[in-house]
Amino acid sequence: MAFLDSGNRSLHADFADLNIALVERVANWRPDVIFCVLMHYEIWFDTLDLIRANSPVLVVNWGTDDSWKFAQASRFFAEHVDLHVTTDDAAAEAALSYGLRNVLLSQWASSGAALAEPCEALECRYDVSFVGSMYGYRGEWISALRDSGITVSCFGHGTDNGVVNAAEIPLIYRTSRISLNFSGSGQSSAGAGGRQIKARTFEVPGAGGFLLTEAVSGLDRYFDLDREVVTFDTPHELIAKTRYFLDHPQARDNVARAGHARTRAEHTYDRRFVEILNQLQLLGDTRQTRSWTLSSESLADAVVRHRRLGLAKCVRAVLVVLLSAVFGRQRGPRVARRFIYELSWRLSGAATYSSRGLPGRLFYSES
């Protein structure tokens, strides 16, 4: 197994270098499957098409945030990979309306390596914990808990404890009497649409924690609600259920044990990937005869297109100056990138995610 970090901007000069590096890695290593998590336009469609046309390798994309991201990005991604895996019911249904037949509905899960038997409530270190970035309405609802006299320990971007090492997170879940999860996406506000099942939904009970999660459609297909995990819809309900399970440790322990047992039995990534690999096996039968002719030299024209900026460079400079005056020198370039991206996917569609896509050409370090 080999890993290529596409998120660390310090590793490459620009997106052209990143795409060349990917093609060279694939050509040299000759994997059977490429598993990727495409975020935006970091891996070009030119590159994905080149790999699939010049090798027998199968390309799988794991779709994140498809509750809001499918329309603007993932529906385009799916046309350039062999299998797009989504965790969102609505996205899987919408795929058919776009003529896509390679979208598989799966779900987040717990790592088998992180599975641990639950601690009893009396042995826990934290009353209530939340691990995640503090955006949207999360801070307001957590403040409501604190104002009611409940102690909440928060970890992650924008929280009082800050970011913690990923290896520490399962222990935080396991040693919390209650672990919170909010289902709203980064694109939604409290009570609005866009709620989605999160990875945390399975990671908490898998690690031996008690999960109190914001309600989301479809969750009852994976857990027996209020017996294996507990849900809330409003700040008032969040406070009431938090108080109840803090005051009733035996009821809390029963839920934690039941949620862990269900997760261990049905919701690990080992089980999820069996389904994905079975689907790939069907595709592989038609691709195994394709020979390896892959070379990064075939990306030369795409690289030239990507690096030829011309007047686009002036557009970036003007936008950054204007928006930095409004939002500050640090936020200004990021706001400019977001403006160009939102305009691009709406007007240019799939071209946004190719070598000629304007957001990637103008905003490498800000992406």
Side-chain angles (χ1 to χ4, degrees):
M1 182 179 296
F3 173 69
L4 179 69
D5 188 348
S6 62
N8 188 340
R9 297 289 171 259
S10 68
L11 299 178
H12 307 280
D14 57 11
F15 286 121
D17 270 359
L18 170 59
N19 281 264
I20 291 170
L22 174 60
V23 173
E24 290 179 344
R25 176 73 63 88
V26 174
N28 291 332
W29 199 57
R30 296 194 173 190
D32 296 313
V33 177
I34 296 174
F35 186 88
C36 51
V37 182
L38 299 174
M39 300 306 295
H40 288 108
Y41 38 75
E42 67 277 11
I43 303 300
W44 304 333
F45 289 168
D46 318 59
T47 303
L48 296 172
D49 293 344
L50 180 69
I51 290 171
R52 295 173 66 222
N54 293 277
S55 77
V57 69
L58 295 167
V59 181
V60 182
N61 181 54
W62 180 274
T64 63
D65 294 319
D66 272 354
S67 62
W68 57 267
K69 189 176 172 182
F70 191 79
Q72 71 184 52
S74 295
R75 65 183 172 103
F76 300 118
F77 296 163
E79 296 181 359
H80 299 272
V81 299
D82 294 288
L83 187 65
H84 177 82
V85 183
T86 185
T87 60
D88 184 71
D89 289 2
E93 292 178 10
L96 297 177
S97 68
Y98 289 114
L100 299 169
R101 298 292 184 271
N102 65 331
V103 175
L104 174 68
L105 178 63
S106 185
Q107 197 45 263
W108 298 102
S110 174
S111 167
L115 293 175
E117 292 294 328
C119 287
E120 292 186 0
L122 296 178
E123 299 174 351
C124 289
R125 176 180 179 183
Y126 308 103
D127 279 343
V128 182
S129 70
F130 172 71
V131 182
S133 297
M134 195 62 66
Y135 61 74
Y137 59 94
R138 294 173 171 183
E140 179 184 345
W141 288 28
I142 288 173
S143 292
L145 278 173
R146 288 172 168 167
D147 290 344
S148 72
I150 296 170
T151 301
V152 186
S153 301
C154 296
F155 307 85
H157 290 286
T159 68
D160 41 3
N161 290 304
V163 178
V164 293
N165 189 291
E168 299 176 42
I169 294 175
L171 185 60
I172 295 173
Y173 294 153
R174 187 169 183 262
T175 57
S176 298
R177 293 177 179 86
I178 295 175
S179 289
L180 298 179
N181 175 57
F182 296 96
S183 300
S185 72
Q187 304 289 309
S188 67
S189 57
R195 287 184 180 181
Q196 56 190 358
I197 296 175
K198 304 276 191 177
R200 196 182 300 112
T201 308
F202 303 95
E203 292 168 351
V204 170
F210 171 98
L211 179 68
L212 180 57
T213 179
E214 188 178 7
V216 58
S217 175
L219 183 58
D220 56 353
R221 291 206 307 272
Y222 303 99
F223 290 106
D224 186 347
L225 303 185
D226 295 327
R227 192 184 76 83
E228 296 172 335
V229 300
V230 179
T231 63
F232 62 89
D233 255 312
T234 65
H236 175 76
E237 192 174 12
L238 169 61
I239 293 170
K241 290 193 173 183
T242 299
R243 284 194 178 283
Y244 176 84
F245 284 103
L246 287 178
D247 292 342
H248 296 81
Q250 186 60 56
R252 177 265 175 205
D253 290 348
N254 291 341
V255 171
R257 284 192 290 267
H260 176 75
R262 181 70 176 271
T263 303
R264 179 183 287 272
E266 299 181 16
H267 304 315
T268 63
Y269 280 114
D270 288 347
R271 287 184 170 269
R272 301 286 192 253
F273 273 88
V274 166
E275 182 183 23
I276 293 171
L277 292 174
N278 285 341
Q279 190 74 15
L280 285 180
Q281 184 66 48
L282 299 176
L283 298 173
D285 292 342
T286 63
R287 293 282 295 276
Q288 289 177 350
T289 58
R290 189 163 295 175
S291 59
W292 281 93
T293 57
L294 184 63
S295 169
S296 62
E297 294 177 0
S298 300
L299 270 183
D301 290 343
V303 169
V304 170
R305 284 194 299 271
H306 185 77
R307 289 174 172 167
R308 187 187 295 125
L309 296 181
L311 291 176
K313 192 173 183 179
C314 297
V315 172
R316 174 197 156 93
V318 171
L319 271 177
V320 169
V321 168
L322 291 176
L323 293 172
S324 293
V326 177
F327 296 98
R329 293 179 62 183
Q330 287 190 329
R331 289 189 61 202
R334 296 199 297 272
V335 175
R337 183 213 71 85
R338 185 58 183 259
F339 174 78
I340 291 294
Y341 172 68
E342 294 292 339
L343 196 65
S344 180
W345 77 260
R346 286 176 169 84
L347 298 180
S348 301
T352 301
Y353 309 98
S354 70
S355 59
R356 65 180 184 275
L358 203 56
R361 292 165 62 202
L362 296 183
F363 296 98
Y364 174 68
S365 59
E366 295 87 1
S367 296

